[in-house]
Amino acid sequence: MAKIGDLDVGEFPLLLAPMEDVSDPPFRALCKEQGADVVFTEFISSEGLIRDAAKSVMKLDIYEKERPVGIQIFGANLESMLQSVEIVEASGPDIIDINFGCPVKKVVSKGAGAGILKDIDLMVSLTEAMVKHTNLPITVKTRLGWDENSIKIVEVSERLQDVGCKAISIHGRTRAQMYKGDADWAPIAKVKNNPRMHIPVFGNGDVDTPERAMEMRDQYGLDGAMIGRASIGYPWFFREVKHYFETGIHIAPPTMEERVDAARRHLQMAIDWKGEKLGVFETRRHYTNYFKGIPNFKEYRMKMVTSDDASSVFEVFEEALETFYDYDFS
C-alpha cells in the first residue's frame, strides 16, 4: 500500500494530475466518482497567492468529496513559497505539492516549474524549507531533467527524499522535450529501484490505456500512475484502468447517455463554481473528448464550443442525446 506521510492512498493509486484550466473542482469531482484515488488542483502561483490575485486564490477551493486532495504551488522565491504554504494550509488540503516540472516558457523564465531543474541545489533547499514550515506532507512533481544531457533524477529524487519530501511524481520527459516524443519510464524505474528510496514513486506521461497503466505497475514496478491528458473530457479512464486491473478485460465504454449526463453535470458544476461566462467558456475543451469518435457529430460539437450562454449548450446536449442515443462506442 502506498502512503504519503500518514495518508494511505491505496495499492497502486491513480492520481489526477494538476492541469492548468482543467483540474478544477467540477472536473476533480467527476474523476473522483470514476475512481481517481488522489486528485490535485491546478498549479497555483506562489506570487499570485501572496498578492491575493483572484484567479490564484480561487484555485484554493477544495471540497470534502474530493479527499484526499493536494494543492499544487509553484515558484522559485523562498520567502514567497513559504508565505504561500501558510495560505494553502488555511484551505485544509491533505497534501501540498510543489511543481518542479511545468515546461511552459512563462513559468520557466522565472526559474520556477521545470526551470528549477537548472539549479538542483535550490530545488532541494526550497523543498527542505517548505517541509520544515508545515505539518502537511510535501510532495514533488518534476521531470527527468532539463535536457537529455542533464538527467540526474535518481540523485535528485534521493536528495528530495532526504530533506523530507513524502512522495515524488516524475514525468518521463525532459523540459527540452516539452510534450513531444515518447515518455521514458526507465529512469523513473531506476529511481524506484534505488535501494535508498522508501517514499512512493509515481509515474507520469503517456499513461493513455489500461494496458499502459498495468505496464507501469508490473513491468516498471512504480507505486502508482499520475493521469493527465488521457482524462481530459474522459473521467471514465480511471474506472477503465481499475476494471482492467481487476479482471484483465476492458469494461464497456460509457454510453451516450452517460456522456451527456457527465457533460451536463460538468457544465452545471462549473457554472455554480465560477459563474456562467467562465463556466461555459472553460468547460469547452472537454467536449471533444466527451463525444469523441461519433461520426457526423461536428455540427453539435461546433454549437457546444461556440454558444456563449449555458441554456444553449444544455439544449445542444439534449439534441445530441436524442440523435445519437443508440450509438455504439465499443
Side-chain angles (χ1 to χ4, degrees):
M1 302 292 279
K3 294 190 75 173
I4 300 175
D6 294 328
L7 189 65
D8 188 344
V9 293
E11 186 177 348
F12 199 81
L14 304 179
L15 299 80
L16 173 65
M19 293 178 281
E20 178 71 356
D21 294 329
V22 174
S23 305
D24 59 12
F27 184 61
R28 298 197 303 264
L30 291 170
C31 291
K32 193 74 179 180
E33 288 174 11
Q34 295 298 331
D37 295 294
V38 184
V39 297
F40 288 89
T41 64
E42 305 168 71
F43 74 150
I44 307 173
S45 164
S46 58
E47 301 295 337
L49 283 180
I50 64 175
R51 292 197 311 270
D52 202 29
K55 186 174 182 181
S56 294
V57 172
M58 190 176 185
K59 292 178 182 178
L60 292 173
D61 289 351
I62 57 176
Y63 300 90
E64 285 302 312
K65 62 186 176 183
E66 300 180 61
R67 295 190 185 280
V69 57
I71 291 179
Q72 190 190 70
I73 55 177
F74 72 92
N77 178 275
L78 176 59
E79 184 177 345
S80 298
M81 290 291 274
L82 293 182
Q83 287 184 52
S84 67
V85 165
E86 296 171 9
I87 297 168
V88 166
E89 277 184 322
S91 293
D94 301 289
I95 301 162
I96 298 178
D97 190 67
I98 314 173
N99 184 313
F100 289 146
C102 177
V104 177
K105 186 176 180 180
K106 69 178 181 179
V107 174
V108 169
S109 64
K110 298 175 183 176
I116 208 165
L117 289 166
K118 287 184 170 183
D119 189 345
I120 301 303
D121 289 342
L122 176 60
M123 185 182 188
V124 173
S125 63
L126 269 178
T127 304
E128 182 176 23
M130 291 176 69
V131 166
K132 291 178 177 177
H133 205 66
T134 181
N135 291 322
L136 289 171
I138 294 288
T139 61
V140 163
K141 184 174 188 291
T142 189
R143 288 186 166 230
L144 299 179
W146 177 257
D147 56 29
E148 63 179 8
N149 298 315
S150 59
I151 296 177
K152 300 178 181 177
I153 192 61
V154 175
E155 172 196 336
V156 170
S157 299
E158 187 175 315
R159 290 182 65 185
L160 291 171
Q161 172 189 259
D162 290 350
V163 297
C165 175
K166 299 302 183 186
I168 185 165
S169 301
I170 304 170
H171 184 105
R173 291 181 175 88
T174 63
R175 190 274 168 176
Q177 285 180 272
M178 298 296 286
Y179 293 99
K180 298 177 182 176
D182 296 328
D184 184 1
W185 298 347
I188 310 176
K190 289 181 180 178
V191 173
K192 175 60 186 172
N193 292 329
N194 176 0
R196 290 206 67 252
M197 289 295 289
H198 54 78
I199 62 173
V201 178
F202 304 125
N204 176 232
D206 295 355
V207 186
D208 51 14
T209 65
E211 289 88 347
R212 289 286 278 160
M214 182 171 280
E215 182 183 357
M216 183 173 273
R217 184 190 70 177
D218 296 346
Q219 182 175 330
Y220 289 84
L222 303 185
D223 293 301
M226 180 171 276
I227 313 297
R229 287 177 289 177
S231 68
I232 299 176
Y234 200 78
W236 303 278
F237 187 75
F238 297 96
R239 176 179 79 179
E240 292 178 355
V241 171
K242 290 197 167 181
H243 185 270
Y244 189 77
F245 281 0
E246 291 172 5
T247 67
I249 59 175
H250 289 270
I251 193 172
T255 64
M256 187 64 179
E257 189 172 15
E258 288 179 287
R259 291 165 192 259
V260 169
D261 179 64
R264 188 192 297 119
R265 292 179 57 223
H266 192 163
L267 177 56
Q268 187 59 59
M269 287 190 289
I271 291 168
D272 292 343
W273 181 57
K274 62 183 93 173
E276 181 172 356
K277 185 177 179 180
L278 268 180
V280 168
F281 178 74
E282 293 189 357
T283 313
R284 288 173 176 172
R285 69 179 60 210
H286 294 268
Y287 299 145
T288 297
N289 280 9
Y290 273 134
F291 305 107
K292 189 175 184 178
I294 305 175
N296 305 313
F297 197 79
K298 184 177 180 180
E299 171 192 349
Y300 298 91
R301 184 166 57 249
M302 289 303 295
K303 288 180 183 178
M304 290 176 189
V305 301
T306 56
S307 297
D308 292 325
D309 64 284
S311 61
S312 297
V313 181
F314 285 123
E315 285 177 11
V316 180
F317 289 158
E318 299 313 310
E319 291 172 16
L321 177 59
E322 184 176 341
T323 304
F324 298 97
Y325 186 85
D326 294 324
Y327 182 76
D328 184 0
F329 287 90
S330 59

